[in-house]
């Protein structure tokens, strides 16, 4: 039996185990292969099941002038290599893009008054209908996620129509139905983080109730379309203070606590994970790490938390970088390496995929 005699489903099963980079090269083999790899929903789903997760970081920098197109770059977390991405809109000085969220390889980007769904791996872009907030707004907390039960993606935003901070409205769009709808906002609370962390089909932010001082987690269920509140770990035991950032570790909600603005030459931070979702007692402290900060000043914003490392954007004085911090517990001090030292504005983690954008 020759390769040509193999049933198509066997060939699809074999090539679905290849990395995205190889599959994209195979689109030039024939029109049939191009159609399967780029546009066949069944093959894309099979690839999602079979593939080894390849995480990358999308780095956004605003345009310097009207001739500047290439302001989106993709950073490989393993090799630290960077490639430029061609995005379909021409950026204008004075406007910047906001990276709303990512899920299954799709990145959702708001630029001026337009929201795009974008697959950095395939280059496919879809412009979504204009939301009500497009005329005048101050973009607040936001996020995006996928609902397997309905095979649908949803994008959620909270915005201030006057930019004064006194009134906040919520809207959400479904990629399947292409309609923005108003959502009742959270009551009696303020949300500190901008981009929500997706866990268990819900977006999560660090926030606080206006009637209390204690921080808590504000969650928005994308399926039920309602808010709920969750408790953080008990930090009172150690008496430490600092900023809190949420992430997803192995499908579980996790939390990183680090200094708000550190002036010392070493930085300490803690990792916690919620082993059982919505069970406060299941919060477990995983690591207490320290790494040297030679600049003596530091602000950090974690982008991706994994079992082995944390990817974070940091600002040391006037310099901004993307770094990867090792989680080696056996070492008294963790090491970190610089992934990117460019002039970034926004950073978001995504995974390589062949997920198409309908319409």
């Amino acid at each position: 039996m020759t390769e040509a005699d193999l049933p198509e489903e066997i060939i699809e099963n074999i090539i679905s185990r290849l990395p995205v980079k190889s599959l994209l090269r195979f689109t030039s083999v024939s029109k049939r292969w191009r159609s399967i790899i780029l546009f066949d929903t069944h093959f894309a789903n099979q690839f999602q099941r079979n593939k080894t997760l390849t995480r990358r970081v999308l780095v956004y920098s605003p345009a310097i002038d009207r001739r500047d197109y290439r302001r989106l770059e993709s950073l490989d977390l393993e090799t630290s290599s960077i490639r430029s991405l061609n995005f379909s809109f021409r950026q204008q000085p004075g406007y910047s893009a906001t990276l709303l969220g990512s899920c299954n390889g799709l990145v959702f980007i708001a630029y001026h008054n337009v929201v795009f769904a974008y697959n950095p791996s395939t280059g496919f872009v879809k412009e979504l209908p204009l939301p009500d907030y497009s005329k005048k707004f101050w973009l607040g907390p936001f996020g995006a996620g996928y609902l397997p039960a309905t095979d649908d993606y949803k994008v959620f935003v909270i915005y201030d129509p006057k930019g004064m901070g006194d009134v906040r409205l919520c809207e959400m769009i479904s990629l399947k139905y292409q309609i923005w709808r108003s959502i009742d906002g959270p009551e009696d609370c303020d949300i500190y983080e901008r981009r929500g962390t997706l866990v268990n089909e819900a977006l999560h932010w660090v926030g606080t109730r206006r009637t209390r001082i204690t921080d808590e987690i504000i969650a928005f269920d994308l399926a039920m379309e309602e808010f709920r509140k969750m408790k953080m770990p008990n930090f009172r035991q150690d008496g430490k203070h600092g900023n809190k950032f949420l992430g997803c570790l192995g499908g579980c909600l996790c939390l990183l606590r680090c200094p708000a603005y550190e002036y010392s030459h070493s930085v300490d931070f803690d990792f916690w994970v919620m082993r059982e979702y919505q069970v406060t007692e299941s919060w477990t402290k995983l690591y207490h790490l320290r790494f040297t900060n030679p600049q003596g000043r530091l602000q950090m914003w974690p982008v991706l938390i994994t079992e082995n490392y944390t990817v974070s954007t940091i600002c040391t004085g006037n310099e901004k970088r993307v770094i990867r911090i090792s989680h080696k517990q056996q070492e008294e001090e963790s090491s970190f390496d610089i992934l990117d030292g460019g002039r970034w504005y926004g950073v978001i983690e995504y995974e390589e995929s062949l997920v198409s954008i309908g319409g």
Side-chain angles (χ1 to χ4, degrees):
M1 178 180 289
T2 65
E3 182 180 354
D5 296 326
L6 287 174
E8 189 169 279
E9 59 268 21
I10 294 181
I11 296 177
E12 290 183 11
N13 184 271
I14 293 172
I15 65 173
S16 68
R17 302 173 190 274
L18 297 174
V20 169
K21 185 176 181 179
S22 299
L23 288 172
L24 294 178
R25 286 202 301 264
F26 291 163
T27 58
S28 61
V29 171
S30 66
K31 291 183 178 179
R32 177 58 182 158
W33 276 43
R34 176 179 174 81
S35 176
I36 291 174
I37 293 172
L38 294 182
F39 305 106
D40 190 314
T41 304
H42 172 74
F43 178 78
N45 293 334
Q46 189 175 26
F47 173 80
Q48 289 293 109
R49 293 192 300 268
N50 293 340
K51 72 181 178 65
T52 300
L53 183 63
T54 303
R55 286 190 170 106
R56 300 183 68 93
V57 170
L58 190 71
V59 181
Y60 164 72
S61 299
I64 300 174
D65 54 46
R66 294 180 182 274
R67 297 169 295 177
D68 196 354
Y69 286 89
R70 294 186 175 182
R71 305 315 309 158
L72 282 179
E73 296 175 310
S74 179
L75 173 64
D76 189 312
L77 293 176
E78 298 302 324
T79 65
S80 300
S81 61
I82 299 177
R83 69 167 183 259
S84 295
L85 300 173
N86 293 320
F87 200 62
S88 63
F89 63 82
R90 180 182 182 126
Q91 301 188 59
Q92 301 292 333
Y95 294 110
S96 61
T98 301
L99 306 179
L100 299 177
S102 70
C103 185
N104 289 349
L106 298 184
V107 179
F108 297 90
I109 304 173
Y111 178 69
H112 189 25
N113 60 352
V114 182
V115 177
F116 299 89
Y118 174 52
N119 186 328
S121 301
T122 63
F124 290 153
V125 182
K126 180 179 178 61
E127 182 177 327
L128 305 184
L130 288 175
D132 288 342
Y133 70 72
S134 62
K135 296 179 181 179
K136 186 177 182 180
F137 71 101
W138 184 265
L139 198 60
F142 43 73
Y146 174 70
L147 299 176
T150 56
D151 188 27
D152 193 15
Y153 293 85
K154 290 185 176 182
V155 180
F156 173 85
V157 296
I158 299 180
Y159 67 99
D160 178 356
K162 298 180 180 179
M164 302 295 292
D166 54 344
V167 178
R168 291 206 165 190
L169 305 176
C170 306
E171 285 194 15
M172 184 171 65
I173 187 173
S174 155
L175 260 65
K176 179 176 289 187
Y177 298 106
Q178 296 286 296
I179 298 175
W180 287 92
R181 295 187 296 108
S182 297
I183 302 292
D184 292 334
E187 297 181 357
D188 189 34
C189 69
D190 293 313
I191 298 176
Y192 298 151
E193 292 181 298
R194 295 191 74 195
R195 186 163 58 232
T197 296
L198 181 65
V199 177
N200 276 24
E201 300 181 6
L203 297 168
H204 303 78
W205 301 269
V206 174
T208 186
R209 296 187 188 183
R210 295 178 185 137
T211 55
R212 301 173 60 182
I213 302 177
T214 306
D215 290 342
E216 58 187 356
I217 296 171
I218 313 298
F220 177 72
D221 191 309
L222 291 169
M224 301 298 294
E225 299 184 357
E226 61 185 21
F227 284 91
R228 58 173 174 263
K229 298 178 178 67
M230 300 163 58
K231 291 184 178 180
M232 288 190 171
N234 184 4
F235 296 125
R236 297 179 182 178
Q237 297 177 354
D238 56 23
K240 295 180 180 178
H241 301 282
N243 286 340
K244 292 105 177 169
F245 302 91
L246 298 177
C248 179
L249 183 61
C252 295
L253 188 67
C254 65
L255 183 145
L256 180 148
R257 181 179 56 163
C258 64
Y261 197 88
E262 184 59 62
Y263 284 90
S264 67
H265 287 278
S266 63
V267 180
D268 293 274
F269 51 99
D270 302 320
F271 289 91
W272 297 72
V273 63
M274 181 179 269
R275 298 291 190 185
E276 189 174 349
Y277 188 65
Q278 285 190 277
V279 178
T280 304
E281 293 74 21
S282 71
W283 278 112
T284 304
K285 187 175 180 178
L286 287 184
Y287 310 114
H288 172 77
L289 300 177
R290 171 178 293 177
F291 72 94
T292 300
N293 169 31
Q295 298 291 330
R297 294 178 296 168
L298 172 71
Q299 280 183 299
M300 65 183 296
W301 300 269
V303 176
L304 170 65
I305 302 173
T306 73
E307 196 71 35
N308 300 316
Y309 57 80
T310 290
V311 176
S312 177
T313 57
I314 65 169
C315 178
T316 55
N318 295 324
E319 192 171 26
K320 295 181 179 180
R321 292 175 172 177
V322 180
I323 67 170
R324 177 176 50 210
I325 307 166
S326 172
H327 291 182
K328 293 182 179 179
Q329 291 177 277
Q330 68 272 21
E331 294 184 2
E332 199 169 300
E333 186 162 301
S334 295
S335 61
F336 75 94
D337 50 328
I338 299 170
L339 299 176
D340 173 64
R343 191 182 61 87
W344 51 265
Y345 182 86
V347 179
I348 192 171
E349 174 266 342
Y350 74 96
E351 61 183 79
E352 290 190 325
S353 82
L354 296 172
V355 171
S356 61
I357 306 170

